[in-house]
Amino acid sequence: QNVSYVSNSEGIISIRVIDLKDNLSTYILSEIPTEIHPSGISIGIANDNKTKMVYVANTDSNSVSVINGTINMLKKIIPVGQKPTDIAFNENTRKLYVSNSLSNTLSVIDTNTEKVEHTIKSTGKNPKGLGVDNKKNLIYVANTDSNSVSVINGTTREVIDGNIKVENNPTGIAVDLKDDLVYVTNFG
């Protein structure tokens, strides 16, 4: 099934499942109610291609919704830190990382048990964007109010480098595994 999951925070607070089988029209297959204010399209949604689970950061309710992507139904809600903003999934370790921008932490969720197994204290203020290097098991965190990026070892959960300076207000991170590069977007 060729679909996209899009957060909708107006009207019915939900995740819309959009049919992508042809590029000429958009068709909403279903609308899955979630918690208050799911995070946006480019941030806050991750999916597990193996289990077909979809994970959504619910910014205003301090939780992550777990959606069964096979039947497009809400399965579970997992409490996390304050103001979860972004989610990144490591396919190799089956760990889900959630940036909690107001509590300055990362929640580590074991997707097998669907529970928070650890909370990592961020080294920067207002962690938002996340990127995962599946090969090296590294997590990159954009610390918006510190103008920095932190690098965390996914195995030890320790911060390797917490103060890589970048331009003002970093908000997004993308990891290029092929060329071994990390891209950071800035706002402002």
Side-chain angles (χ1 to χ4, degrees):
Q1 192 175 15
N2 193 13
V3 299
S4 177
Y5 294 89
V6 180
S7 64
N8 175 38
S9 58
E10 295 182 13
I12 299 172
I13 307 301
S14 63
I15 299 299
R16 289 183 173 162
V17 184
I18 310 293
D19 187 352
L20 300 175
K21 68 179 159 190
D22 76 50
N23 293 327
L24 302 174
S25 62
T26 55
Y27 175 70
I28 299 173
L29 292 173
S30 65
E31 197 149 358
I32 307 161
T34 63
E35 291 281 287
I36 302 167
H37 192 187
S39 285
I41 297 167
S42 62
I43 59 171
I45 298 178
N47 68 308
D48 180 345
N49 291 321
K50 183 178 176 184
T51 65
K52 304 298 184 212
M53 293 298 155
V54 178
Y55 303 94
V56 181
N58 301 307
T59 303
D60 290 340
S61 63
N62 304 326
S63 66
V64 170
S65 293
V66 181
I67 296 171
N68 181 325
T70 302
I71 58 174
N72 292 324
M73 297 216 27
L74 181 66
K75 179 181 178 192
K76 184 174 186 170
I77 295 173
I78 304 169
V80 293
Q82 294 177 307
K83 286 277 187 211
T85 306
D86 200 4
I87 293 179
F89 179 65
N90 186 324
E91 295 175 0
N92 295 334
T93 64
R94 322 281 320 139
K95 303 295 182 205
L96 186 72
Y97 299 91
V98 183
S99 61
N100 304 305
S101 61
L102 194 58
S103 55
N104 294 323
T105 61
L106 297 179
S107 296
V108 182
I109 297 174
D110 182 330
T111 59
N112 295 315
T113 64
E114 295 178 341
K115 293 181 181 175
V116 174
E117 67 175 23
H118 192 74
T119 300
I120 300 170
K121 179 72 176 156
S122 175
T123 60
K125 293 179 183 172
N126 197 4
K128 287 197 175 170
L130 294 174
V132 172
D133 183 330
N134 292 324
K135 292 179 185 177
K136 297 177 184 174
N137 196 16
L138 297 175
I139 300 94
Y140 297 89
V141 185
N143 301 303
T144 302
D145 292 348
S146 300
N147 300 327
S148 67
V149 171
S150 298
V151 183
I152 298 171
N153 181 315
T155 303
T156 64
R157 300 180 186 129
E158 293 179 5
V159 177
I160 298 169
D161 191 340
N163 199 20
I164 300 172
K165 289 296 180 191
V166 294
E167 295 296 321
N168 291 339
N169 303 312
T171 55
I173 293 187
V175 178
D176 180 344
L177 296 175
K178 181 179 174 239
D179 293 328
D180 201 27
L181 295 171
V182 176
Y183 296 93
V184 180
T185 60
N186 301 303
F187 181 76

